[in-house]
Amino acid sequence: MPQAFLLERERERDHQRERESMEAKEGKGVAKHVFIAKFKDGTSAAQIEQLIKDMANLVNLIPPMKSLHWGKDVSPWNKNEGYTHVFECNFESMEGIAEYVAHPAHLEYAKSLLPCVDKCIVFDYNLSTTQPAAIMI
């Protein structure tokens, strides 16, 4: 009985992988837009806090944008090359990212953000998941 259960789980995983692969090929599923920033010296904590609030509000203004996660570097390894903040926006497709980038609310926000940024990295990708192989007992 446990082996049958494991085989069924493996079939479900295979089906999920196929679905994710098809969605990725079609540009559907989960797409991420990542913005990594180093703010200019002299940008106050209050300014950065307001920029974060304004970016979070874009979720309410731009329909393809599903959520925003952000954080400040806390790594003890000092490998951040000066970058201090990361912002991860979630979309259902790469088309959603394109719509977001061209949206007037995003363009207006960029006018307030970019003058405060010393350097940045922008990275867009489709989310891929690697499932562990089934363990046969």
PDB file of all heavy atoms in Angstrom, residues 86-107:
ATOM      1  N   VAL A  86      15.832  44.839  -1.930  1.00  0.00           N
ATOM      2  CA  VAL A  86      15.320  44.024  -3.025  1.00  0.00           C
ATOM      3  C   VAL A  86      13.794  44.111  -3.008  1.00  0.00           C
ATOM      4  O   VAL A  86      13.174  44.110  -1.943  1.00  0.00           O
ATOM      5  CB  VAL A  86      15.805  42.558  -2.947  1.00  0.00           C
ATOM      6  CG1 VAL A  86      15.315  41.870  -1.686  1.00  0.00           C
ATOM      7  CG2 VAL A  86      15.392  41.775  -4.183  1.00  0.00           C
ATOM      8  N   PHE A  87      13.227  44.219  -4.205  1.00  0.00           N
ATOM      9  CA  PHE A  87      11.782  44.290  -4.385  1.00  0.00           C
ATOM     10  C   PHE A  87      11.397  43.222  -5.393  1.00  0.00           C
ATOM     11  O   PHE A  87      11.958  43.172  -6.493  1.00  0.00           O
ATOM     12  CB  PHE A  87      11.372  45.676  -4.903  1.00  0.00           C
ATOM     13  CG  PHE A  87      11.828  46.788  -4.000  1.00  0.00           C
ATOM     14  CD1 PHE A  87      13.071  47.377  -4.166  1.00  0.00           C
ATOM     15  CD2 PHE A  87      11.020  47.219  -2.969  1.00  0.00           C
ATOM     16  CE1 PHE A  87      13.498  48.393  -3.326  1.00  0.00           C
ATOM     17  CE2 PHE A  87      11.427  48.236  -2.122  1.00  0.00           C
ATOM     18  CZ  PHE A  87      12.676  48.827  -2.302  1.00  0.00           C
ATOM     19  N   GLU A  88      10.453  42.377  -5.024  1.00  0.00           N
ATOM     20  CA  GLU A  88      10.028  41.285  -5.897  1.00  0.00           C
ATOM     21  C   GLU A  88       8.531  41.437  -6.158  1.00  0.00           C
ATOM     22  O   GLU A  88       7.715  41.326  -5.245  1.00  0.00           O
ATOM     23  CB  GLU A  88      10.305  39.939  -5.236  1.00  0.00           C
ATOM     24  CG  GLU A  88       9.865  38.764  -6.069  1.00  0.00           C
ATOM     25  CD  GLU A  88       9.969  37.463  -5.318  1.00  0.00           C
ATOM     26  OE1 GLU A  88       9.096  37.202  -4.456  1.00  0.00           O
ATOM     27  OE2 GLU A  88      10.929  36.723  -5.571  1.00  0.00           O
ATOM     28  N   CYS A  89       8.195  41.698  -7.420  1.00  0.00           N
ATOM     29  CA  CYS A  89       6.799  41.829  -7.829  1.00  0.00           C
ATOM     30  C   CYS A  89       6.375  40.528  -8.503  1.00  0.00           C
ATOM     31  O   CYS A  89       7.125  39.961  -9.298  1.00  0.00           O
ATOM     32  CB  CYS A  89       6.640  42.981  -8.812  1.00  0.00           C
ATOM     33  SG  CYS A  89       7.255  44.560  -8.204  1.00  0.00           S
ATOM     34  N   ASN A  90       5.161  40.079  -8.202  1.00  0.00           N
ATOM     35  CA  ASN A  90       4.653  38.832  -8.740  1.00  0.00           C
ATOM     36  C   ASN A  90       3.529  39.079  -9.733  1.00  0.00           C
ATOM     37  O   ASN A  90       2.645  39.902  -9.496  1.00  0.00           O
ATOM     38  CB  ASN A  90       4.156  37.941  -7.599  1.00  0.00           C
ATOM     39  CG  ASN A  90       5.292  37.564  -6.679  1.00  0.00           C
ATOM     40  OD1 ASN A  90       6.205  36.854  -7.080  1.00  0.00           O
ATOM     41  ND2 ASN A  90       5.257  38.054  -5.459  1.00  0.00           N
ATOM     42  N   PHE A  91       3.591  38.328 -10.838  1.00  0.00           N
ATOM     43  CA  PHE A  91       2.635  38.446 -11.933  1.00  0.00           C
ATOM     44  C   PHE A  91       2.237  37.051 -12.394  1.00  0.00           C
ATOM     45  O   PHE A  91       2.933  36.074 -12.101  1.00  0.00           O
ATOM     46  CB  PHE A  91       3.276  39.201 -13.112  1.00  0.00           C
ATOM     47  CG  PHE A  91       3.702  40.596 -12.768  1.00  0.00           C
ATOM     48  CD1 PHE A  91       4.932  40.831 -12.169  1.00  0.00           C
ATOM     49  CD2 PHE A  91       2.870  41.666 -13.020  1.00  0.00           C
ATOM     50  CE1 PHE A  91       5.322  42.126 -11.838  1.00  0.00           C
ATOM     51  CE2 PHE A  91       3.254  42.965 -12.693  1.00  0.00           C
ATOM     52  CZ  PHE A  91       4.484  43.191 -12.094  1.00  0.00           C
ATOM     53  N   GLU A  92       1.157  36.950 -13.150  1.00  0.00           N
ATOM     54  CA  GLU A  92       0.736  35.661 -13.684  1.00  0.00           C
ATOM     55  C   GLU A  92       1.447  35.313 -14.986  1.00  0.00           C
ATOM     56  O   GLU A  92       1.433  34.167 -15.406  1.00  0.00           O
ATOM     57  CB  GLU A  92      -0.780  35.654 -13.898  1.00  0.00           C
ATOM     58  CG  GLU A  92      -1.546  35.671 -12.588  1.00  0.00           C
ATOM     59  CD  GLU A  92      -3.041  35.683 -12.785  1.00  0.00           C
ATOM     60  OE1 GLU A  92      -3.507  35.730 -13.934  1.00  0.00           O
ATOM     61  OE2 GLU A  92      -3.753  35.648 -11.774  1.00  0.00           O
ATOM     62  N   SER A  93       2.062  36.316 -15.628  1.00  0.00           N
ATOM     63  CA  SER A  93       2.711  36.061 -16.913  1.00  0.00           C
ATOM     64  C   SER A  93       3.738  37.143 -17.205  1.00  0.00           C
ATOM     65  O   SER A  93       3.734  38.216 -16.599  1.00  0.00           O
ATOM     66  CB  SER A  93       1.674  36.032 -18.033  1.00  0.00           C
ATOM     67  OG  SER A  93       1.130  37.332 -18.211  1.00  0.00           O
ATOM     68  N   MET A  94       4.590  36.861 -18.191  1.00  0.00           N
ATOM     69  CA  MET A  94       5.544  37.861 -18.648  1.00  0.00           C
ATOM     70  C   MET A  94       4.814  39.034 -19.312  1.00  0.00           C
ATOM     71  O   MET A  94       5.271  40.168 -19.233  1.00  0.00           O
ATOM     72  CB  MET A  94       6.553  37.233 -19.620  1.00  0.00           C
ATOM     73  CG  MET A  94       7.461  36.185 -18.969  1.00  0.00           C
ATOM     74  SD  MET A  94       8.394  36.784 -17.537  1.00  0.00           S
ATOM     75  CE  MET A  94       9.553  37.883 -18.329  1.00  0.00           C
ATOM     76  N   GLU A  95       3.666  38.743 -19.925  1.00  0.00           N
ATOM     77  CA  GLU A  95       2.856  39.817 -20.501  1.00  0.00           C
ATOM     78  C   GLU A  95       2.402  40.786 -19.411  1.00  0.00           C
ATOM     79  O   GLU A  95       2.308  41.989 -19.652  1.00  0.00           O
ATOM     80  CB  GLU A  95       1.649  39.250 -21.252  1.00  0.00           C
ATOM     81  CG  GLU A  95       2.007  38.493 -22.507  1.00  0.00           C
ATOM     82  CD  GLU A  95       2.436  37.040 -22.265  1.00  0.00           C
ATOM     83  OE1 GLU A  95       2.349  36.562 -21.124  1.00  0.00           O
ATOM     84  OE2 GLU A  95       2.867  36.404 -23.233  1.00  0.00           O
ATOM     85  N   GLY A  96       2.108  40.253 -18.220  1.00  0.00           N
ATOM     86  CA  GLY A  96       1.725  41.101 -17.098  1.00  0.00           C
ATOM     87  C   GLY A  96       2.847  42.036 -16.693  1.00  0.00           C
ATOM     88  O   GLY A  96       2.611  43.204 -16.353  1.00  0.00           O
ATOM     89  N   ILE A  97       4.082  41.531 -16.739  1.00  0.00           N
ATOM     90  CA  ILE A  97       5.235  42.384 -16.426  1.00  0.00           C
ATOM     91  C   ILE A  97       5.353  43.496 -17.467  1.00  0.00           C
ATOM     92  O   ILE A  97       5.564  44.660 -17.119  1.00  0.00           O
ATOM     93  CB  ILE A  97       6.531  41.559 -16.345  1.00  0.00           C
ATOM     94  CG1 ILE A  97       6.476  40.619 -15.137  1.00  0.00           C
ATOM     95  CG2 ILE A  97       7.753  42.478 -16.257  1.00  0.00           C
ATOM     96  CD1 ILE A  97       7.642  39.656 -15.026  1.00  0.00           C
ATOM     97  N   ALA A  98       5.191  43.145 -18.733  1.00  0.00           N
ATOM     98  CA  ALA A  98       5.272  44.156 -19.791  1.00  0.00           C
ATOM     99  C   ALA A  98       4.199  45.225 -19.607  1.00  0.00           C
ATOM    100  O   ALA A  98       4.459  46.424 -19.794  1.00  0.00           O
ATOM    101  CB  ALA A  98       5.146  43.484 -21.160  1.00  0.00           C
ATOM    102  N   GLU A  99       3.004  44.795 -19.223  1.00  0.00           N
ATOM    103  CA  GLU A  99       1.912  45.749 -18.980  1.00  0.00           C
ATOM    104  C   GLU A  99       2.239  46.653 -17.796  1.00  0.00           C
ATOM    105  O   GLU A  99       2.006  47.863 -17.832  1.00  0.00           O
ATOM    106  CB  GLU A  99       0.617  44.967 -18.719  1.00  0.00           C
ATOM    107  CG  GLU A  99      -0.625  45.800 -18.749  1.00  0.00           C
ATOM    108  CD  GLU A  99      -1.888  44.966 -18.592  1.00  0.00           C
ATOM    109  OE1 GLU A  99      -1.913  43.793 -19.030  1.00  0.00           O
ATOM    110  OE2 GLU A  99      -2.855  45.506 -18.006  1.00  0.00           O
ATOM    111  N   TYR A 100       2.809  46.077 -16.747  1.00  0.00           N
ATOM    112  CA  TYR A 100       3.220  46.823 -15.553  1.00  0.00           C
ATOM    113  C   TYR A 100       4.269  47.882 -15.903  1.00  0.00           C
ATOM    114  O   TYR A 100       4.150  49.048 -15.521  1.00  0.00           O
ATOM    115  CB  TYR A 100       3.771  45.839 -14.519  1.00  0.00           C
ATOM    116  CG  TYR A 100       4.623  46.429 -13.445  1.00  0.00           C
ATOM    117  CD1 TYR A 100       4.068  47.057 -12.337  1.00  0.00           C
ATOM    118  CD2 TYR A 100       6.023  46.327 -13.496  1.00  0.00           C
ATOM    119  CE1 TYR A 100       4.862  47.581 -11.324  1.00  0.00           C
ATOM    120  CE2 TYR A 100       6.815  46.847 -12.492  1.00  0.00           C
ATOM    121  CZ  TYR A 100       6.236  47.468 -11.414  1.00  0.00           C
ATOM    122  OH  TYR A 100       7.027  47.991 -10.420  1.00  0.00           O
ATOM    123  N   VAL A 101       5.285  47.473 -16.646  1.00  0.00           N
ATOM    124  CA  VAL A 101       6.386  48.377 -16.980  1.00  0.00           C
ATOM    125  C   VAL A 101       5.889  49.583 -17.781  1.00  0.00           C
ATOM    126  O   VAL A 101       6.380  50.697 -17.601  1.00  0.00           O
ATOM    127  CB  VAL A 101       7.504  47.613 -17.728  1.00  0.00           C
ATOM    128  CG1 VAL A 101       8.533  48.566 -18.317  1.00  0.00           C
ATOM    129  CG2 VAL A 101       8.174  46.617 -16.785  1.00  0.00           C
ATOM    130  N   ALA A 102       4.901  49.364 -18.641  1.00  0.00           N
ATOM    131  CA  ALA A 102       4.384  50.445 -19.487  1.00  0.00           C
ATOM    132  C   ALA A 102       3.244  51.234 -18.843  1.00  0.00           C
ATOM    133  O   ALA A 102       2.828  52.262 -19.378  1.00  0.00           O
ATOM    134  CB  ALA A 102       3.892  49.853 -20.818  1.00  0.00           C
ATOM    135  N   HIS A 103       2.748  50.772 -17.697  1.00  0.00           N
ATOM    136  CA  HIS A 103       1.593  51.407 -17.062  1.00  0.00           C
ATOM    137  C   HIS A 103       1.941  52.826 -16.589  1.00  0.00           C
ATOM    138  O   HIS A 103       3.014  53.060 -16.018  1.00  0.00           O
ATOM    139  CB  HIS A 103       1.128  50.553 -15.873  1.00  0.00           C
ATOM    140  CG  HIS A 103      -0.226  50.908 -15.392  1.00  0.00           C
ATOM    141  ND1 HIS A 103      -0.478  52.008 -14.586  1.00  0.00           N
ATOM    142  CD2 HIS A 103      -1.430  50.297 -15.582  1.00  0.00           C
ATOM    143  CE1 HIS A 103      -1.763  52.055 -14.312  1.00  0.00           C
ATOM    144  NE2 HIS A 103      -2.367  51.046 -14.900  1.00  0.00           N
ATOM    145  N   PRO A 104       1.042  53.795 -16.793  1.00  0.00           N
ATOM    146  CA  PRO A 104       1.306  55.176 -16.366  1.00  0.00           C
ATOM    147  C   PRO A 104       1.633  55.308 -14.874  1.00  0.00           C
ATOM    148  O   PRO A 104       2.479  56.135 -14.507  1.00  0.00           O
ATOM    149  CB  PRO A 104       0.003  55.907 -16.710  1.00  0.00           C
ATOM    150  CG  PRO A 104      -0.600  55.109 -17.822  1.00  0.00           C
ATOM    151  CD  PRO A 104      -0.222  53.679 -17.545  1.00  0.00           C
ATOM    152  N   ALA A 105       1.007  54.524 -14.020  1.00  0.00           N
ATOM    153  CA  ALA A 105       1.299  54.617 -12.581  1.00  0.00           C
ATOM    154  C   ALA A 105       2.737  54.181 -12.292  1.00  0.00           C
ATOM    155  O   ALA A 105       3.412  54.770 -11.437  1.00  0.00           O
ATOM    156  CB  ALA A 105       0.310  53.762 -11.781  1.00  0.00           C
ATOM    157  N   HIS A 106       3.224  53.159 -13.002  1.00  0.00           N
ATOM    158  CA  HIS A 106       4.607  52.712 -12.827  1.00  0.00           C
ATOM    159  C   HIS A 106       5.574  53.774 -13.353  1.00  0.00           C
ATOM    160  O   HIS A 106       6.583  54.085 -12.712  1.00  0.00           O
ATOM    161  CB  HIS A 106       4.834  51.382 -13.552  1.00  0.00           C
ATOM    162  CG  HIS A 106       6.259  50.929 -13.519  1.00  0.00           C
ATOM    163  ND1 HIS A 106       7.101  51.100 -14.584  1.00  0.00           N
ATOM    164  CD2 HIS A 106       6.982  50.320 -12.544  1.00  0.00           C
ATOM    165  CE1 HIS A 106       8.296  50.611 -14.275  1.00  0.00           C
ATOM    166  NE2 HIS A 106       8.247  50.140 -13.045  1.00  0.00           N
ATOM    167  N   LEU A 107       5.260  54.337 -14.504  1.00  0.00           N
ATOM    168  CA  LEU A 107       6.125  55.365 -15.083  1.00  0.00           C
ATOM    169  C   LEU A 107       6.219  56.585 -14.168  1.00  0.00           C
ATOM    170  O   LEU A 107       7.295  57.168 -13.990  1.00  0.00           O
ATOM    171  CB  LEU A 107       5.615  55.752 -16.470  1.00  0.00           C
ATOM    172  CG  LEU A 107       5.645  54.627 -17.513  1.00  0.00           C
ATOM    173  CD1 LEU A 107       4.954  55.073 -18.796  1.00  0.00           C
ATOM    174  CD2 LEU A 107       7.061  54.164 -17.783  1.00  0.00           C
TER     175      LEU A 107
END
